[in-house]
Amino acid sequence: MSQTTVTMKGNPVPLTGSLPAVGDKAPEYTLVGTNLAPVTPPAGKTVISVFPSVDTPTCAASVRRFNQEASSREGVTVLCVSKDLPFAMARFCGAEGLDNVVCGSAFRSDFGHAYGLDFAAGPLEGLLARAIVVVDADGNVVHTELVPEVGDEPDYAAALAAVDAL
């Protein structure tokens, strides 16, 4: 797995690897849900929205947007993943009234390594980079986006088009 770099306020920040390629089987993982129960890959079509922390404006905006748009599509699970503690994710979703997304904390998971999204250095070292992975019902990766600048939102239209094409 090769190493990838994103930027934070224009400064390069290395990641520990790179996203799986379109056509690959999505890596397996176990996250911790807001109820502290294990979260494993959902059955069916899945949008995995990965971000550094729900307590930042851009990350919060992406969770709200996917709750509104992608989760309104039949048979699609939106899985929001960060290394935030499950309590923080539950607090945010509860306060925002977001009940159409599944939140999974990677705080004690190898998710970041498996998906190549752990920051390897810099002020966010150990957190996850912003990315979108769309997985089909057979567990195959059909779309990926590594957002090049940490503070930018993902390309929602491209992710949703990939979901709609399934």
Side-chain angles (χ1 to χ4, degrees), residues 46-49 66-67 70-71 76-80 100-103:
T46 306
V47 175
I48 305 172
S49 175
F66 275 121
N67 183 72
S71 59
V76 176
T77 300
V78 178
L79 177 61
C80 297
N100 294 319
V101 294
V102 175
C103 290

Side-chain angles (χ1 to χ4, degrees), residues 32 34 51 54 80-94 102-106:
V32 180
T34 57
F51 48 87
V54 75
C80 297
V81 180
S82 75
K83 288 198 178 175
D84 287 311
L85 291 177
F87 313 111
M89 297 175 98
R91 174 192 40 77
F92 174 80
C93 289
V102 175
C103 290
S105 174

